[in-house]
């Protein structure tokens, strides 16, 4: 007989209903949820976990994490990290996420040069390291100079820059066909491409393109032939429209959204992970935080600020299938995954839409909805609990009180490591 525990919930958000249910209980048996309801019968020897003072939710999911740094300050010398160090950084990140109530993270294509990121995922999946489950896009695919091409930092020294460029950066359909097949062979869960430039990397800006139509079509078709989804880093509407026409599975950021593109999104099944956090300081005119960006990024953000604000409204008012992703470790790492909750609520997003994005919708995006994302019989017992009011408190996810992953309870830790950055 597997171990059984009964969780008594103060309130329960189950990932499905727009409601905080009262007097609910969850019976966990082994790794899975067995029953959910009121006044459940209590099996002999059941362990009682009393969370009657807390709001219980499914384990949270962050769908856009870059876990390759131990601390945000390291971003300046990222090129000098060994394969091993980067791999350990992913374990460290996944461990911190679990301690903070995020039981699953999707790592967005910034793995070490080799496939250490897949090793980190395997070690966690095999139960050998206590950390959030990882869903990985091993590397970023795109053209030379794209955001995420860290060799750009050495562009004034061509031999050095060429040496530093990762294998998945290149040109031509044949090149990308091979790279997609390699990524899948070595264990990637999805393919991450960089179509447009960006605000926060030393590239040509959010409106330029690093892949042509032939390359895009080849990448998407090859990944689909191998049964893997594709998501794209993208900003301008014309590029988002093109991706929708090519049948891409999802997009990241989309922060220059217009009405016409939003309508096209709504008619498709394509998701958007809008990563509000990196743009929050610009939208809120938070000058002190804004000043921490590089001079190049500040210039780009200022130029596009009105469109970024308009885009946020369009996304909020749309019915686009939105996932929750913080983009952390790339920008304001100390804020971590919870910070995205603040960004959503302060943007006027409905709290239940936000909570669903971070649970059931994200589970679908990760193709893990048969396992996680809701509190239902048969699902893995991934459960988090919070003492703050999830419906009114923007910072509610900053303090996690309880976390269970696959039926096992782990310690929580809410401390912020880099105080000076908050
Ligand atoms: Zn990112």
């Amino acid at each position: 007989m597997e171990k059984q525990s009964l969780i008594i919930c103060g309130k329960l958000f189950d990932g499905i209903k727009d409601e905080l249910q009262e007097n609910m209980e969850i019976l966990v048996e082994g790794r899975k949820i067995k029953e959910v309801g009121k006044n459940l019968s209590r099996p002999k020897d059941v362990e009682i976990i009393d969370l009657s003072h807390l709001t219980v939710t499914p384990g949270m999911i962050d769908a856009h994490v870059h876990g390759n740094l131990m601390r945000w300050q390291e971003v300046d010398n990222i090129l000098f990290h060994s394969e091993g160090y980067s791999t350990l950084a992913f374990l460290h990140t996944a461990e911190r996420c679990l301690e903070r109530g995020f039981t699953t993270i999707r790592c967005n294509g910034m793995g070490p040069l080799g496939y250490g990121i897949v090793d980190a995922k395997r070690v966690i999946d095999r139960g050998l390291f206590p950390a959030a489950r990882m869903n990985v896009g091993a590397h970023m695919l795109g053209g030379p100079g794209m955001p995420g091409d860290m060799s750009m930092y050495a562009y004034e020294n061509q031999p050095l820059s060429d040496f530093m460029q990762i294998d998945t950066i290149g040109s031509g359909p044949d090149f990308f066909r091979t790279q997609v097949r390699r990524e899948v062979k070595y264990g990637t869960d999805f393919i991450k491409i960089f179509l447009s430039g960006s605000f926060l990397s030393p590239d040509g800006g959010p409106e330029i393109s690093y892949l042509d139509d032939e390359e895009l079509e080849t990448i998407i078709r090859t990944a689909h032939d191998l049964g893997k989804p594709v998501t794209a880093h993208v900003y301008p509407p014309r590029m988002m429209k093109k991706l929708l026409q090519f049948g891409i599975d999802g997009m990241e950021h989309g922060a220059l959204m217009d009405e016409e593109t939003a309508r096209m999104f709504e008619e498709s099944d394509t998701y958007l992970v809008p990563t509000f956090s990196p743009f929050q300081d610009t939208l809120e005119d938070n000058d002190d935080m804004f000043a921490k960006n590089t001079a190049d990024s500040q210039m780009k953000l200022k130029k596009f600020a009105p469109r970024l604000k308009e885009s946020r409204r369009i996304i909020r008012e749309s019915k686009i299938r939105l996932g929750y992703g913080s983009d952390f470790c790339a920008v304001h790492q100390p804020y971590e995954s919870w910070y995205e909750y603040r960004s959503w609520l302060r943007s006027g997003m409905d709290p239940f839409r936000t909570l669903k994005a971070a649970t059931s919708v994200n589970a679908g995006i990760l193709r893990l909805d048969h396992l996680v994302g809701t509190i239902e019989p048969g699902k893995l017992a991934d459960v988090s609990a919070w003492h703050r009011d999830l419906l009114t408190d923007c910072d509610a996810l900053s303090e996690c009180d309880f976390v269970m992953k696959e039926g096992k309870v782990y310690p929580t830790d809410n401390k912020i490591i880099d105080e000076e950055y908050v």
Side-chain angles (χ1 to χ4, degrees), residues 64 66 192 253 327:
H64 194 123
H66 298 285
K192 167 79 183 280
H253 315 306
D327 210 359

Side-chain angles (χ1 to χ4, degrees), residues 140-160:
M140 302 163 164
L141 275 68
M146 69 178 199
D149 177 359
M150 293 300 171
S151 71
M152 269 300 280
Y153 288 103
Y155 77 96
E156 291 180 356
N157 183 341
Q158 177 251 320
L160 177 66

Side-chain angles (χ1 to χ4, degrees), residues 1-26:
M1 178 69 163
E2 287 189 290
K3 187 185 163 206
Q4 291 183 319
S5 30
L6 186 85
I7 300 173
I8 301 171
C9 310
K11 291 175 181 161
L12 173 67
F13 168 71
D14 64 4
I16 307 160
K17 297 188 194 76
D18 284 4
E19 185 187 352
L20 296 184
Q21 303 175 73
E22 312 252 357
N23 303 316
M24 295 294 283
E25 297 175 342
I26 306 165

Side-chain angles (χ1 to χ4, degrees), residues 189-209:
D189 292 309
F190 64 96
I191 298 294
K192 167 79 183 280
I193 59 175
F194 266 89
L195 177 53
S196 73
S198 80
F199 294 91
L200 303 164
S201 307
D203 59 59
E207 292 198 299
I208 62 165
S209 172

Side-chain angles (χ1 to χ4, degrees), residues 24-295:
M24 295 294 283
E25 297 175 342
I26 306 165
L27 181 64
V28 175
E29 185 176 278
R31 296 166 62 225
K32 290 187 174 174
I33 295 168
K34 196 174 182 210
E35 265 184 89
V36 183
K38 292 182 176 156
N39 303 314
L40 299 182
S41 59
R42 303 191 175 197
K44 196 169 151 280
D45 298 331
V46 71
E47 178 200 10
I48 303 290
I49 299 175
D50 184 0
L51 305 181
S52 56
H53 55 302
L54 303 174
T55 302
V56 174
T57 65
M60 294 290 165
I61 303 171
D62 186 341
H64 194 123
V65 168
H66 298 285
N68 50 328
L69 303 175
M70 296 277 186
R71 302 178 75 225
W72 65 269
Q73 291 92 335
E74 292 173 356
V75 75
D76 292 338
N77 54 8
I78 193 168
L79 283 166
F80 307 108
H81 290 163
S82 71
E83 171 87 20
Y85 186 89
S86 304
T87 304
L88 292 170
F90 277 100
L91 286 178
H92 174 68
T93 301
E95 184 185 39
R96 286 169 72 185
C97 288
L98 180 64
E99 287 170 347
R100 288 148 170 79
F102 284 75
T103 50
T104 306
I105 55 172
R106 173 169 167 266
C107 299
N108 247 268
M110 215 188 253
L113 293 176
Y115 288 90
I117 187 173
V118 186
D119 291 326
K121 172 194 160 89
R122 285 186 190 118
V123 165
I124 295 166
D125 281 350
R126 290 171 191 170
L128 303 172
F129 190 83
R133 178 182 301 106
M134 283 170 63
N135 181 266
V136 301
H139 301 105
M140 302 163 164
L141 275 68
M146 69 178 199
D149 177 359
M150 293 300 171
S151 71
M152 269 300 280
Y153 288 103
Y155 77 96
E156 291 180 356
N157 183 341
Q158 177 251 320
L160 177 66
S161 188
D162 281 353
F163 181 71
M164 288 170 160
Q165 196 173 281
I166 62 169
D167 286 352
T168 55
I169 293 176
S171 299
D174 284 347
F175 172 85
F176 286 112
R177 195 179 295 116
T178 303
Q179 293 311 324
V180 169
R181 288 175 178 158
R182 260 185 104 223
E183 290 284 285
V184 175
K185 173 184 172 189
Y186 293 115
T188 202
D189 292 309
F190 64 96
I191 298 294
K192 167 79 183 280
I193 59 175
F194 266 89
L195 177 53
S196 73
S198 80
F199 294 91
L200 303 164
S201 307
D203 59 59
E207 292 198 299
I208 62 165
S209 172
Y210 286 92
L211 290 164
D212 67 23
D213 287 8
E214 218 185 335
E215 291 166 333
L216 276 178
E217 215 180 349
T218 302
I219 291 169
I220 296 170
R221 190 172 13 109
T222 309
H224 287 176
D225 283 348
L226 295 166
K228 297 294 176 190
V230 183
T231 192
H233 162 108
V234 61
Y235 292 107
R238 69 186 157 81
M239 292 187 210
M240 292 193 262
K241 286 179 192 155
K242 189 184 287 183
L243 290 168
L244 287 165
Q245 281 159 0
F246 285 153
I248 198 159
D249 303 272
M251 299 184 215
E252 315 292 311
H253 315 306
L256 300 176
M257 183 68 69
D258 65 8
E259 296 283 2
E260 198 183 48
T261 312
R263 299 297 84 76
M264 272 181 78
F265 253 104
E266 288 167 344
E267 282 160 25
S268 74
D269 196 34
T270 302
Y271 63 81
L272 175 70
V273 179
T275 66
F276 290 155
S277 297
F279 303 102
Q280 204 57 23
D281 298 326
T282 306
L283 263 67
E284 294 188 6
D285 302 313
N286 182 346
D287 295 339
D288 289 350
M289 291 305 299
F290 185 81
K292 292 185 192 256
N293 289 298
T294 63

